[in-house]
Amino acid sequence: MTLGRLAALGSVCAVMAGSALVAAVPAGAMLDELTSGNWELRERGASAPVRQLCLDSGRELIQMRHAGMACSRTVVQDTPQEVTVQYTCPGQGYGRTHIRRESNSLIQIDSQGIAKGQPFSFTMEGRRTGDCAK
């Protein structure tokens, strides 16, 4: 093996090792840091009622218009304070959700897509209000 090939192989190994380190932190890890409990979700600019949600994981907030559906997800942006996820639910629609964390108990959500054949778009604030009722 030539010296050039050894150098190239070393570069490939270094990149792969770096990728393994990055992959050790799950995409959207910020969502896992949100405090579980009862959350109040208020949609902006709408007369929609305030929604109460017993939140176990912040990942539940990604597909609010497609809750409980098996959808494929792609993380578009992932920082310690913000995450943007695009998802597709075969035969049910799709969406793109951006969540910004102000603290582990206060977030801003912006989501849009298609659900039940109709477009949706909303922005809301989520605020932890206490423990979930048992």
Side-chain angles (χ1 to χ4, degrees):
M1 190 173 274
T2 67
L3 187 56
R5 285 187 178 170
L6 281 174
L9 181 59
S11 295
V12 168
C13 290
V15 167
M16 289 174 69
S19 296
L21 291 175
V22 171
V25 175
M30 174 273 289
L31 296 171
D32 298 328
E33 297 174 9
L34 297 179
T35 308
S36 62
N38 192 60
W39 282 68
E40 183 177 272
L41 303 173
R42 291 183 180 271
E43 197 166 335
R44 290 214 162 85
S47 58
V50 174
R51 182 173 171 191
Q52 300 292 322
L53 176 68
C54 182
L55 190 67
D56 188 40
S57 164
R59 294 178 186 276
E60 298 169 45
L61 301 168
I62 295 172
Q63 298 175 202
M64 293 186 63
R65 291 290 195 263
H66 297 91
M69 293 183 190
C71 305
S72 63
R73 296 178 178 180
T74 301
V75 176
V76 177
Q77 176 192 22
D78 189 8
T79 72
Q81 298 302 323
E82 299 180 69
V83 65
T84 302
V85 178
Q86 191 164 306
Y87 64 90
T88 302
C89 310
Q92 302 296 318
Y94 59 87
R96 182 180 179 108
T97 302
H98 176 82
I99 302 172
R100 180 171 51 89
R101 173 177 64 175
E102 294 185 21
S103 72
N104 286 339
S105 59
L106 180 62
I107 57 171
Q108 305 299 321
I109 302 170
D110 180 31
S111 188
Q112 59 272 329
I114 301 288
K116 298 179 182 174
Q118 297 295 313
F120 69 86
S121 179
F122 64 85
T123 57
M124 63 174 51
E125 180 175 271
R127 182 180 304 268
R128 186 178 187 278
T129 58
D131 294 333
C132 295
K134 295 191 180 205

